[in-house]
Amino acid sequence: QVHLVESGGGLVQAGGSLRLSCEVSGSIFSIIGMGWYRQAPGNQRELVAHITSGGATNYAASVKGRFTISRNNANNTVTLQMNSLKPEDTAVYYCNAAMAPPYWGQGTQVTVSS
């Protein structure tokens, strides 16, 4: 069983920054890809950023250059640094473990005011 616990959401003004963290239980963290997704009201859940077990990253076009995903295999955490936030970044952000089946965190709210 894998458990994911997110932290770091909140309210920020446009142009500000937030840092999301996801702590993953279990000994498999270092061998699995991890991702951050988000879901705004009325929208489907979408991929924001992904990092492979080897550290390769990819980003949604809407966040490229503003967000950075990273991982620390020593303490089983994946982090999403979000800079230059925009109101359209407002959503619930979910941490994802790319397994079959995938595992999800409980979500953390990010609200960006204009």
Side-chain angles (χ1 to χ4, degrees):
Q1 192 75 4
V2 177
H3 294 283
L4 288 69
V5 178
E6 300 117 336
S7 61
L11 173 65
V12 65
Q13 288 189 328
S17 298
L18 282 174
R19 185 179 180 90
L20 305 183
S21 291
C22 175
E23 185 171 355
V24 183
S25 67
S27 59
I28 62 168
F29 178 79
S30 64
I31 64 170
I32 59 174
M34 297 294 301
W36 285 97
Y37 288 71
R38 67 186 180 188
Q39 187 167 18
N43 290 356
Q44 290 188 334
R45 191 172 297 188
E46 62 175 1
L47 176 67
V48 175
H50 180 266
I51 185 166
T52 69
S53 58
T57 59
N58 68 282
Y59 299 91
S62 58
V63 307
K64 194 171 292 186
R66 300 188 297 122
F67 290 12
T68 302
I69 189 171
S70 60
R71 65 189 297 155
N72 185 327
N73 290 342
N75 59 19
N76 284 14
T77 58
V78 59
T79 300
L80 185 69
Q81 177 67 43
M82 305 185 293
N83 299 328
S84 302
L85 282 160
K86 304 175 181 180
E88 51 264 43
D89 295 318
T90 295
V92 178
Y93 284 69
Y94 296 91
C95 180
N96 165 267
M99 301 172 65
Y103 285 88
W104 297 91
Q106 81 281 4
T108 185
Q109 177 70 46
V110 171
T111 303
V112 185
S113 63
S114 57

XYZ file of all heavy atoms in Angstrom:
843
model
N 0.843 -1.193 0.000
C 0.000 0.000 0.000
C 0.882 1.249 0.000
O 1.882 1.310 0.710
C -0.921 0.005 1.233
C -2.023 1.038 1.194
C -3.160 0.660 0.255
O -3.154 -0.417 -0.308
N -4.119 1.546 0.085
N 0.498 2.202 -0.820
C 1.240 3.446 -0.940
C 0.337 4.589 -0.495
O -0.822 4.662 -0.899
C 1.682 3.672 -2.395
C 2.399 5.007 -2.533
C 2.596 2.540 -2.855
N 0.862 5.453 0.337
C 0.109 6.625 0.796
C 0.847 7.886 0.389
O 2.070 7.963 0.530
C -0.067 6.588 2.312
C -0.918 5.454 2.790
N -2.290 5.461 2.681
C -0.588 4.273 3.352
C -2.767 4.320 3.168
N -1.750 3.592 3.570
N 0.076 8.857 -0.112
C 0.626 10.125 -0.542
C -0.033 11.232 0.270
O -1.261 11.296 0.343
C 0.359 10.372 -2.022
C 1.124 9.552 -3.069
C 0.700 8.087 -3.066
C 0.936 10.144 -4.449
N 0.767 12.109 0.837
C 0.248 13.207 1.646
C 0.829 14.515 1.117
O 2.048 14.718 1.158
C 0.598 13.030 3.127
C 0.071 14.216 3.930
C 0.024 11.725 3.660
N -0.067 15.385 0.631
C 0.358 16.675 0.090
C 0.308 17.755 1.158
O -0.471 17.675 2.103
C -0.536 17.108 -1.073
C -0.558 16.150 -2.250
C -1.917 15.582 -2.485
O -2.708 15.543 -1.520
O -2.205 15.177 -3.621
N 1.104 18.771 0.946
C 1.071 19.958 1.797
C 1.554 21.155 1.001
O 2.180 20.991 -0.055
C 1.947 19.760 3.040
O 3.293 19.535 2.666
N 1.231 22.355 1.499
C 1.789 23.560 0.905
C 0.846 24.409 0.100
O 1.244 25.467 -0.396
N -0.407 24.015 -0.053
C -1.341 24.852 -0.791
C -1.704 26.089 0.007
O -1.279 26.278 1.149
N -2.497 26.961 -0.608
C -2.935 28.160 0.087
C -3.396 29.227 -0.863
O -3.640 28.967 -2.044
N -3.516 30.431 -0.327
C -3.975 31.597 -1.090
C -2.788 32.520 -1.341
O -2.033 32.842 -0.416
C -5.060 32.332 -0.300
C -5.536 33.673 -0.859
C -6.219 33.483 -2.205
C -6.487 34.340 0.138
N -2.649 32.954 -2.586
C -1.537 33.835 -2.941
C -2.017 34.815 -4.005
O -2.943 34.500 -4.772
C -0.337 32.995 -3.447
C -0.670 32.276 -4.735
C 0.916 33.845 -3.592
N -1.410 35.968 -4.043
C -1.751 36.939 -5.085
C -1.062 36.573 -6.392
O -0.016 35.909 -6.406
C -1.326 38.343 -4.654
C -2.181 38.938 -3.553
C -1.855 40.402 -3.319
O -0.714 40.828 -3.485
N -2.860 41.169 -2.920
N -1.642 37.025 -7.479
C -1.036 36.806 -8.794
C 0.400 37.323 -8.799
O 0.683 38.394 -8.256
C -1.854 37.486 -9.875
N 1.273 36.523 -9.390
C 2.690 36.860 -9.412
C 3.484 36.260 -8.275
O 4.719 36.294 -8.295
N 2.780 35.722 -7.306
C 3.436 35.138 -6.155
C 3.880 33.705 -6.393
O 3.782 33.178 -7.507
N 4.358 33.077 -5.321
C 4.893 31.722 -5.397
C 4.322 30.847 -4.287
O 3.966 31.336 -3.213
C 6.425 31.751 -5.257
O 7.033 32.475 -6.306
N 4.248 29.573 -4.597
C 3.905 28.555 -3.609
C 4.749 27.326 -3.883
O 5.164 27.083 -5.028
C 2.418 28.171 -3.688
C 1.390 29.106 -3.068
C -0.016 28.616 -3.398
C 1.578 29.229 -1.576
N 4.943 26.542 -2.838
C 5.709 25.304 -2.960
C 4.866 24.173 -2.395
O 4.507 24.197 -1.225
C 7.025 25.430 -2.202
C 7.978 24.256 -2.353
C 9.255 24.557 -1.551
N 10.237 23.492 -1.620
C 11.186 23.424 -2.552
N 11.263 24.356 -3.476
N 12.052 22.442 -2.539
N 4.560 23.202 -3.249
C 3.801 22.028 -2.831
C 4.753 20.870 -2.602
O 5.704 20.682 -3.360
C 2.780 21.636 -3.900
C 1.794 22.707 -4.358
C 0.809 22.107 -5.360
C 1.063 23.311 -3.185
N 4.457 20.095 -1.569
C 5.248 18.906 -1.284
C 4.340 17.701 -1.168
O 3.184 17.814 -0.761
C 6.037 19.079 0.017
O 7.047 20.048 -0.135
N 4.874 16.555 -1.510
C 4.142 15.295 -1.412
C 5.086 14.261 -0.819
O 6.146 13.984 -1.385
C 3.664 14.861 -2.790
S 2.870 13.240 -2.834
N 4.686 13.733 0.325
C 5.472 12.691 0.969
C 4.831 11.348 0.672
O 3.614 11.180 0.815
C 5.559 12.918 2.474
C 6.453 11.927 3.181
C 6.698 12.287 4.639
O 6.248 13.372 5.060
O 7.331 11.480 5.333
N 5.636 10.401 0.265
C 5.160 9.090 -0.178
C 5.657 8.007 0.760
O 6.859 7.927 1.036
C 5.628 8.802 -1.607
C 5.076 7.467 -2.110
C 5.218 9.925 -2.546
N 4.739 7.190 1.251
C 5.136 6.078 2.105
C 5.606 4.917 1.249
O 5.289 4.828 0.067
C 3.959 5.637 2.975
O 2.936 5.068 2.161
N 6.344 4.009 1.855
C 6.759 2.815 1.136
C 8.167 2.907 0.605
O 8.740 3.987 0.502
N 8.704 1.757 0.242
C 10.106 1.670 -0.159
C 10.304 1.729 -1.663
O 11.428 1.598 -2.147
C 10.704 0.373 0.379
O 9.976 -0.725 -0.123
N 9.220 1.933 -2.408
C 9.315 1.884 -3.856
C 9.498 3.246 -4.497
O 9.596 3.359 -5.713
C 8.053 1.241 -4.449
C 6.825 2.090 -4.091
C 7.907 -0.196 -3.992
C 5.597 1.700 -4.847
N 9.524 4.294 -3.687
C 9.485 5.652 -4.227
C 10.546 5.874 -5.289
O 10.281 6.473 -6.342
C 9.661 6.669 -3.095
C 9.678 8.097 -3.571
C 8.494 8.755 -3.881
C 10.877 8.796 -3.713
C 8.497 10.073 -4.320
C 10.894 10.105 -4.148
C 9.708 10.742 -4.452
N 11.749 5.401 -5.050
C 12.854 5.725 -5.945
C 12.721 5.104 -7.327
O 13.414 5.521 -8.256
C 14.175 5.280 -5.313
O 14.197 3.876 -5.161
N 11.817 4.148 -7.492
C 11.715 3.464 -8.771
C 10.454 3.816 -9.540
O 10.175 3.222 -10.575
C 11.803 1.927 -8.605
C 10.619 1.402 -7.786
C 13.126 1.540 -7.985
C 10.535 -0.118 -7.793
N 9.679 4.765 -9.048
C 8.432 5.107 -9.723
C 8.431 6.558 -10.184
O 9.054 7.417 -9.568
C 7.199 4.847 -8.832
C 7.281 5.674 -7.529
C 7.051 3.372 -8.526
C 6.032 5.570 -6.683
N 7.736 6.810 -11.273
C 7.522 8.175 -11.711
C 6.480 8.845 -10.832
O 5.589 8.191 -10.292
N 6.598 10.154 -10.695
C 5.671 10.926 -9.871
C 5.157 12.118 -10.664
O 5.870 12.672 -11.501
C 6.365 11.428 -8.600
C 6.844 10.340 -7.658
S 5.487 9.402 -6.933
C 4.570 10.695 -6.109
N 3.937 12.494 -10.363
C 3.372 13.618 -11.087
C 2.531 14.509 -10.197
O 2.126 14.121 -9.096
N 2.314 15.710 -10.671
C 1.357 16.648 -10.076
C 0.274 16.915 -11.113
O 0.585 17.218 -12.268
C 2.027 17.955 -9.678
C 2.850 17.862 -8.439
C 4.197 17.677 -8.361
C 2.379 17.952 -7.093
N 4.601 17.640 -7.045
C 3.499 17.815 -6.244
C 1.127 18.145 -6.507
C 3.404 17.856 -4.852
C 1.023 18.185 -5.124
C 2.158 18.042 -4.314
N -0.957 16.781 -10.684
C -2.117 17.080 -11.500
C -2.916 18.185 -10.811
O -2.730 18.446 -9.626
C -3.004 15.834 -11.660
C -2.441 14.766 -12.544
C -1.350 14.004 -12.154
C -3.017 14.489 -13.784
C -0.830 13.013 -12.978
C -2.514 13.497 -14.616
C -1.424 12.769 -14.195
O -0.915 11.782 -15.005
N -3.827 18.785 -11.567
C -4.722 19.763 -10.957
C -6.106 19.653 -11.583
O -6.249 19.210 -12.718
C -4.176 21.181 -11.103
C -4.127 21.715 -12.520
C -3.432 23.070 -12.540
N -3.372 23.626 -13.896
C -2.694 24.715 -14.218
N -1.998 25.369 -13.276
N -2.696 25.162 -15.460
N -7.073 20.074 -10.790
C -8.456 20.058 -11.274
C -9.156 21.311 -10.778
O -9.289 21.523 -9.567
C -9.193 18.813 -10.790
C -10.571 18.651 -11.379
C -11.138 17.261 -11.138
O -10.684 16.513 -10.289
N -12.140 16.899 -11.929
N -9.587 22.123 -11.716
C -10.361 23.317 -11.404
C -11.845 22.968 -11.504
O -12.223 22.025 -12.201
C -10.009 24.442 -12.372
N -12.712 23.718 -10.820
C -14.150 23.431 -10.868
C -14.669 23.393 -12.295
O -14.400 24.291 -13.090
C -14.758 24.590 -10.077
C -13.683 25.013 -9.151
C -12.407 24.833 -9.900
N -15.387 22.322 -12.622
C -15.960 22.188 -13.949
C -15.005 21.666 -15.005
O -15.404 21.477 -16.150
N -13.758 21.449 -14.616
C -12.760 20.976 -15.570
C -12.311 19.558 -15.233
O -12.484 19.091 -14.114
C -11.529 21.892 -15.558
C -11.807 23.254 -16.145
O -12.898 23.515 -16.646
N -10.826 24.136 -16.068
N -11.726 18.906 -16.226
C -11.140 17.599 -15.985
C -9.790 17.751 -15.297
O -9.136 18.795 -15.384
C -10.960 16.859 -17.312
C -12.261 16.416 -17.962
C -12.027 15.523 -19.163
O -10.991 15.581 -19.813
N -13.001 14.678 -19.461
N -9.391 16.702 -14.626
C -8.080 16.693 -14.006
C -7.022 16.669 -15.117
O -7.133 15.911 -16.066
C -7.920 15.485 -13.086
C -6.705 15.523 -12.194
C -6.728 14.401 -11.176
N -7.859 14.511 -10.250
C -8.025 13.741 -9.179
N -7.114 12.812 -8.891
N -9.067 13.890 -8.399
N -6.007 17.525 -14.974
C -4.982 17.617 -16.004
C -3.587 17.480 -15.412
O -3.340 17.871 -14.266
C -5.096 18.965 -16.742
C -4.877 20.185 -15.868
C -4.879 21.482 -16.660
O -5.064 21.455 -17.888
O -4.680 22.544 -16.022
N -2.692 16.955 -16.229
C -1.306 16.826 -15.806
C -0.639 18.193 -15.793
O -0.745 18.951 -16.752
C -0.558 15.902 -16.757
C 0.943 15.742 -16.499
C 1.190 15.017 -15.186
C 1.609 15.011 -17.656
N 0.054 18.474 -14.707
C 0.815 19.719 -14.588
C 2.292 19.452 -14.848
O 2.936 20.138 -15.638
C 0.641 20.334 -13.184
C 1.531 21.563 -13.018
C -0.816 20.681 -12.932
N 2.832 18.434 -14.180
C 4.259 18.128 -14.323
C 4.485 16.682 -13.932
O 3.747 16.129 -13.113
C 5.107 19.050 -13.452
N 5.527 16.100 -14.504
C 5.861 14.712 -14.222
C 7.373 14.580 -14.117
O 8.110 15.275 -14.835
C 5.334 13.799 -15.325
C 5.642 12.355 -15.114
N 6.750 11.742 -15.648
C 4.978 11.393 -14.405
C 6.759 10.471 -15.280
N 5.699 10.242 -14.534
N 7.811 13.687 -13.242
C 9.241 13.409 -13.123
C 9.430 11.900 -13.060
O 8.749 11.209 -12.312
C 9.853 14.123 -11.894
C 11.371 13.935 -11.851
C 9.197 13.684 -10.596
C 12.062 14.890 -10.880
N 10.333 11.391 -13.883
C 10.594 9.959 -13.898
C 11.471 9.558 -12.724
O 12.015 10.398 -12.006
C 11.284 9.550 -15.202
O 12.614 10.101 -15.205
C 10.513 10.038 -16.420
N 11.642 8.257 -12.554
C 12.516 7.770 -11.496
C 13.954 8.248 -11.710
O 14.705 8.427 -10.747
C 12.469 6.249 -11.422
O 12.846 5.685 -12.657
N 14.305 8.503 -12.947
C 15.654 8.971 -13.254
C 15.815 10.469 -13.234
O 16.920 10.981 -13.438
N 14.714 11.186 -12.991
C 14.785 12.634 -12.865
C 14.426 13.421 -14.113
O 14.472 14.652 -14.093
N 14.045 12.757 -15.183
C 13.605 13.483 -16.379
C 12.236 14.097 -16.117
O 11.383 13.483 -15.478
C 13.540 12.545 -17.571
N 12.040 15.307 -16.613
C 10.811 16.046 -16.318
C 10.075 16.448 -17.578
O 10.680 16.586 -18.656
C 11.116 17.315 -15.508
O 12.014 18.142 -16.262
C 11.751 16.982 -14.165
N 8.769 16.622 -17.439
C 7.993 17.249 -18.508
C 6.869 18.046 -17.873
O 6.441 17.745 -16.747
C 7.474 16.250 -19.531
C 6.431 15.326 -18.985
O 6.739 14.379 -18.292
N 5.170 15.601 -19.299
N 6.426 19.073 -18.586
C 5.472 20.037 -18.050
C 4.364 20.319 -19.042
O 4.560 20.252 -20.254
C 6.183 21.356 -17.735
C 7.273 21.246 -16.701
C 8.583 20.984 -17.072
C 6.983 21.399 -15.351
C 9.585 20.872 -16.123
C 7.976 21.290 -14.390
C 9.274 21.021 -14.788
O 10.259 20.914 -13.837
N 3.203 20.670 -18.500
C 2.152 21.201 -19.347
C 2.628 22.527 -19.927
O 3.363 23.281 -19.271
C 0.884 21.413 -18.526
N 2.193 22.806 -21.134
C 2.630 24.032 -21.794
C 2.268 25.271 -20.985
O 2.997 26.263 -20.979
C 2.010 24.112 -23.188
N 1.149 25.204 -20.283
C 0.655 26.372 -19.547
C 1.526 26.727 -18.339
O 1.426 27.843 -17.819
C -0.777 26.134 -19.092
O -0.850 24.978 -18.273
N 2.363 25.799 -17.883
C 3.168 26.067 -16.683
C 4.665 26.051 -16.965
O 5.466 26.380 -16.085
C 2.850 25.071 -15.547
C 1.360 25.038 -15.269
C 3.380 23.679 -15.853
N 5.037 25.667 -18.174
C 6.460 25.546 -18.499
C 7.158 26.890 -18.306
O 6.665 27.929 -18.747
C 6.621 25.068 -19.938
C 8.019 24.583 -20.281
C 8.035 23.925 -21.646
C 7.276 22.623 -21.674
N 7.412 21.909 -22.968
N 8.273 26.852 -17.624
C 9.024 28.069 -17.341
C 8.629 28.743 -16.042
O 9.327 29.645 -15.567
N 7.517 28.333 -15.465
C 7.058 28.910 -14.195
C 7.104 27.905 -13.055
O 7.340 28.281 -11.904
C 5.628 29.442 -14.337
C 5.461 30.523 -15.392
C 4.062 31.136 -15.349
N 3.006 30.164 -15.663
C 2.002 29.867 -14.849
N 1.897 30.454 -13.672
N 1.077 28.992 -15.214
N 6.829 26.640 -13.364
C 6.780 25.588 -12.353
C 7.995 24.671 -12.506
O 8.479 24.438 -13.620
C 5.525 24.738 -12.508
C 4.229 25.431 -12.158
C 4.154 26.793 -11.953
C 3.056 24.691 -12.058
C 2.956 27.422 -11.634
C 1.849 25.292 -11.752
C 1.801 26.662 -11.536
N 8.436 24.131 -11.375
C 9.546 23.180 -11.379
C 9.209 22.007 -10.476
O 8.879 22.202 -9.302
C 10.845 23.838 -10.888
O 11.161 24.953 -11.714
C 11.993 22.838 -10.936
N 9.297 20.807 -11.037
C 9.087 19.599 -10.251
C 10.446 18.999 -9.910
O 11.377 19.017 -10.734
C 8.202 18.583 -11.012
C 7.806 17.412 -10.111
C 8.872 18.105 -12.298
C 6.757 16.485 -10.731
N 10.552 18.486 -8.701
C 11.797 17.847 -8.280
C 11.463 16.724 -7.303
O 10.352 16.651 -6.776
C 12.737 18.866 -7.618
O 12.134 19.445 -6.481
N 12.442 15.871 -7.087
C 12.222 14.760 -6.176
C 13.448 14.552 -5.305
O 14.576 14.852 -5.712
C 11.891 13.484 -6.932
C 12.995 12.938 -7.807
C 12.476 11.782 -8.676
N 12.033 10.659 -7.856
C 11.133 9.762 -8.258
N 10.589 9.862 -9.464
N 10.802 8.763 -7.473
N 13.199 14.029 -4.105
C 14.272 13.685 -3.178
C 14.045 12.240 -2.767
O 13.157 11.948 -1.960
C 14.248 14.624 -1.974
C 15.418 14.390 -1.034
O 15.889 13.270 -0.872
N 15.879 15.459 -0.412
N 14.834 11.344 -3.329
C 14.640 9.921 -3.043
C 15.087 9.549 -1.633
O 14.712 8.486 -1.131
C 15.391 9.077 -4.063
C 14.767 9.153 -5.446
O 13.618 9.545 -5.605
N 15.540 8.784 -6.454
N 15.869 10.401 -1.000
C 16.321 10.102 0.364
C 15.193 10.228 1.375
O 15.173 9.503 2.378
C 17.474 11.020 0.743
N 14.260 11.168 1.114
C 13.154 11.314 2.062
C 11.789 11.132 1.404
O 10.765 11.559 1.948
C 13.230 12.653 2.807
C 13.203 13.841 1.870
O 12.792 13.722 0.727
N 13.619 14.988 2.365
N 11.770 10.482 0.251
C 10.509 10.081 -0.400
C 9.565 11.255 -0.642
O 8.367 11.177 -0.353
C 9.787 9.015 0.437
C 10.410 7.653 0.299
O 11.517 7.504 -0.195
N 9.692 6.631 0.758
N 10.098 12.350 -1.143
C 9.236 13.500 -1.401
C 9.379 13.979 -2.844
O 10.443 13.868 -3.460
C 9.550 14.670 -0.466
O 10.922 15.042 -0.615
C 9.278 14.321 0.987
N 8.298 14.503 -3.349
C 8.292 15.186 -4.639
C 7.723 16.578 -4.408
O 6.758 16.746 -3.654
C 7.500 14.397 -5.702
C 6.063 14.194 -5.282
C 7.584 15.081 -7.052
N 8.330 17.556 -5.033
C 7.999 18.949 -4.772
C 7.637 19.658 -6.066
O 8.199 19.358 -7.124
C 9.206 19.651 -4.115
O 9.513 18.997 -2.874
C 8.898 21.111 -3.828
N 6.684 20.571 -5.969
C 6.331 21.412 -7.113
C 6.513 22.864 -6.689
O 5.748 23.368 -5.860
C 4.896 21.162 -7.559
C 4.474 21.907 -8.828
C 5.208 21.344 -10.052
C 2.960 21.811 -9.032
N 7.518 23.504 -7.226
C 7.742 24.925 -6.985
C 6.988 25.708 -8.045
O 7.218 25.520 -9.242
C 9.235 25.255 -7.041
C 9.557 26.722 -6.870
C 9.231 27.230 -5.473
O 9.509 26.566 -4.485
N 8.637 28.419 -5.392
N 6.088 26.577 -7.611
C 5.235 27.320 -8.529
C 5.531 28.806 -8.384
O 5.313 29.380 -7.309
C 3.761 27.037 -8.224
C 3.413 25.551 -8.227
S 1.650 25.239 -8.017
C 1.418 25.823 -6.343
N 6.040 29.398 -9.443
C 6.360 30.824 -9.459
C 5.478 31.552 -10.466
O 4.861 30.927 -11.333
C 7.832 31.026 -9.820
C 8.775 30.389 -8.820
O 8.483 30.311 -7.620
N 9.933 29.942 -9.298
N 5.442 32.850 -10.349
C 4.662 33.689 -11.274
C 3.247 33.157 -11.435
O 2.743 33.007 -12.550
C 5.359 33.764 -12.636
O 6.667 34.268 -12.510
N 2.620 32.881 -10.320
C 1.288 32.271 -10.352
C 0.261 33.213 -10.964
O 0.331 34.446 -10.807
C 0.877 31.859 -8.949
C 1.541 30.555 -8.460
C 1.490 30.456 -6.945
C 0.874 29.361 -9.105
N -0.689 32.594 -11.650
C -1.762 33.322 -12.323
C -3.107 32.855 -11.768
O -3.212 31.730 -11.277
C -1.714 33.041 -13.827
C -0.396 33.345 -14.492
C -0.413 32.920 -15.966
C 0.921 33.204 -16.640
N 0.911 32.795 -18.066
N -4.131 33.687 -11.881
C -5.454 33.246 -11.402
C -5.909 31.931 -12.044
O -6.580 31.128 -11.373
C -6.359 34.411 -11.803
C -5.461 35.600 -11.770
C -4.143 35.103 -12.279
N -5.523 31.690 -13.271
C -5.935 30.448 -13.934
C -5.207 29.222 -13.403
O -5.529 28.089 -13.797
C -5.743 30.551 -15.455
C -4.372 31.013 -15.899
C -4.331 32.519 -16.185
O -4.904 33.306 -15.391
O -3.690 32.888 -17.188
N -4.241 29.408 -12.517
C -3.610 28.278 -11.832
C -4.433 27.792 -10.644
O -4.102 26.770 -10.041
C -2.208 28.661 -11.347
C -1.249 28.955 -12.476
O -1.252 28.214 -13.482
O -0.476 29.933 -12.357
N -5.487 28.511 -10.313
C -6.344 28.125 -9.197
C -6.973 26.763 -9.452
O -7.598 26.531 -10.484
C -7.446 29.175 -8.982
O -6.841 30.407 -8.582
C -8.428 28.718 -7.919
N -6.790 25.848 -8.511
C -7.279 24.476 -8.659
C -6.926 23.691 -7.403
O -6.170 24.178 -6.547
C -6.655 23.801 -9.877
N -7.460 22.483 -7.338
C -6.976 21.519 -6.353
C -5.845 20.739 -7.025
O -6.018 20.224 -8.135
C -8.088 20.563 -5.893
C -7.525 19.535 -4.912
C -9.231 21.349 -5.253
N -4.718 20.687 -6.360
C -3.541 20.016 -6.892
C -3.373 18.654 -6.223
O -3.449 18.541 -4.989
C -2.298 20.878 -6.672
C -2.220 22.037 -7.644
C -3.109 23.097 -7.565
C -1.256 22.054 -8.658
C -3.053 24.151 -8.462
C -1.185 23.104 -9.563
C -2.086 24.145 -9.463
O -2.030 25.192 -10.360
N -3.134 17.643 -7.049
C -3.022 16.268 -6.571
C -1.646 15.695 -6.917
O -1.171 15.838 -8.049
C -4.083 15.385 -7.214
C -5.498 15.752 -6.873
C -6.222 16.640 -7.667
C -6.132 15.193 -5.760
C -7.528 16.974 -7.362
C -7.445 15.515 -5.451
C -8.133 16.405 -6.258
O -9.429 16.734 -5.949
N -1.088 15.015 -5.970
C 0.138 14.262 -6.192
C -0.243 12.870 -6.708
O -1.244 12.288 -6.264
C 0.888 14.157 -4.854
S 2.432 13.252 -4.923
N 0.530 12.348 -7.629
C 0.223 11.071 -8.265
C 1.456 10.183 -8.311
O 2.542 10.647 -8.670
C -0.290 11.325 -9.687
C -0.296 10.087 -10.543
O 0.661 9.818 -11.263
N -1.375 9.329 -10.471
N 1.266 8.926 -7.952
C 2.316 7.925 -8.126
C 1.961 7.096 -9.356
O 0.902 6.470 -9.398
C 2.422 7.034 -6.895
N 2.836 7.117 -10.342
C 2.557 6.489 -11.633
C 2.748 4.986 -11.544
O 3.753 4.429 -11.990
C 3.460 7.099 -12.705
N 1.758 4.347 -10.944
C 1.772 2.896 -10.785
C 0.505 2.341 -11.412
O -0.363 3.069 -11.882
C 1.824 2.546 -9.290
C 3.027 3.106 -8.564
S 2.929 2.864 -6.783
C 2.987 1.071 -6.692
N 0.390 1.017 -11.433
C -0.811 0.368 -11.951
C -1.428 -0.490 -10.855
O -0.920 -1.574 -10.566
C -0.478 -0.473 -13.169
N -2.541 -0.024 -10.233
C -3.234 1.237 -10.509
C -2.488 2.427 -9.915
O -1.662 2.248 -9.016
C -4.576 1.050 -9.792
C -4.244 0.157 -8.630
C -3.205 -0.792 -9.156
N -2.762 3.616 -10.391
C -2.094 4.801 -9.842
C -2.598 5.113 -8.443
O -3.722 4.769 -8.074
C -2.467 5.913 -10.819
C -3.756 5.460 -11.412
C -3.670 3.966 -11.486
N -1.763 5.772 -7.663
C -2.147 6.234 -6.340
C -2.215 7.756 -6.347
O -1.424 8.418 -7.029
C -1.149 5.762 -5.281
C -1.284 4.300 -4.939
C -0.596 3.335 -5.671
C -2.104 3.876 -3.903
C -0.716 1.996 -5.374
C -2.227 2.530 -3.591
C -1.530 1.595 -4.337
O -1.651 0.261 -4.037
N -3.141 8.293 -5.540
C -3.366 9.733 -5.489
C -3.341 10.233 -4.058
O -3.757 9.523 -3.134
C -4.728 10.077 -6.089
C -4.860 9.737 -7.526
C -5.311 8.571 -8.065
C -4.511 10.586 -8.641
N -5.273 8.635 -9.436
C -4.794 9.863 -9.819
C -4.004 11.878 -8.752
C -4.581 10.388 -11.098
C -3.803 12.399 -10.008
C -4.078 11.656 -11.163
N -2.883 11.457 -3.896
C -3.022 12.112 -2.616
C -4.420 12.671 -2.457
O -5.262 12.566 -3.348
N -4.641 13.337 -1.313
C -5.976 13.855 -1.012
C -6.249 15.175 -1.685
O -7.396 15.618 -1.749
C -6.141 13.988 0.520
C -5.524 15.253 1.122
C -4.011 15.165 1.292
O -3.365 14.190 0.902
N -3.445 16.201 1.887
N -5.238 15.806 -2.186
C -5.389 17.089 -2.861
C -5.143 18.260 -1.927
O -5.422 18.191 -0.726
N -4.628 19.347 -2.488
C -4.418 20.574 -1.734
C -4.858 21.754 -2.587
O -4.554 21.819 -3.779
C -2.939 20.709 -1.292
O -2.784 21.857 -0.460
C -1.988 20.819 -2.477
N -5.598 22.661 -1.971
C -6.174 23.789 -2.712
C -5.128 24.877 -2.933
O -4.446 25.293 -1.993
C -7.364 24.369 -1.955
C -8.000 25.588 -2.598
C -8.737 25.257 -3.886
O -9.487 24.293 -3.949
N -8.507 26.075 -4.925
N -5.043 25.338 -4.164
C -4.234 26.501 -4.516
C -5.173 27.553 -5.097
O -5.889 27.268 -6.067
C -3.137 26.143 -5.526
C -2.441 27.400 -6.049
C -2.124 25.197 -4.900
N -5.181 28.720 -4.499
C -6.024 29.816 -4.968
C -5.155 31.032 -5.247
O -4.408 31.474 -4.368
C -7.098 30.178 -3.935
O -7.891 29.016 -3.645
C -8.016 31.273 -4.468
N -5.251 31.533 -6.463
C -4.468 32.693 -6.876
C -5.435 33.837 -7.146
O -6.279 33.741 -8.033
C -3.630 32.388 -8.122
C -2.737 33.584 -8.462
C -2.786 31.139 -7.919
N -5.300 34.891 -6.381
C -6.188 36.041 -6.539
C -5.576 37.053 -7.502
O -4.357 37.210 -7.575
C -6.451 36.700 -5.189
O -5.240 37.208 -4.653
N -6.460 37.736 -8.216
C -5.986 38.728 -9.209
C -5.794 40.097 -8.587
O -6.172 40.338 -7.465
C -6.972 38.810 -10.361
O -8.256 39.146 -9.875
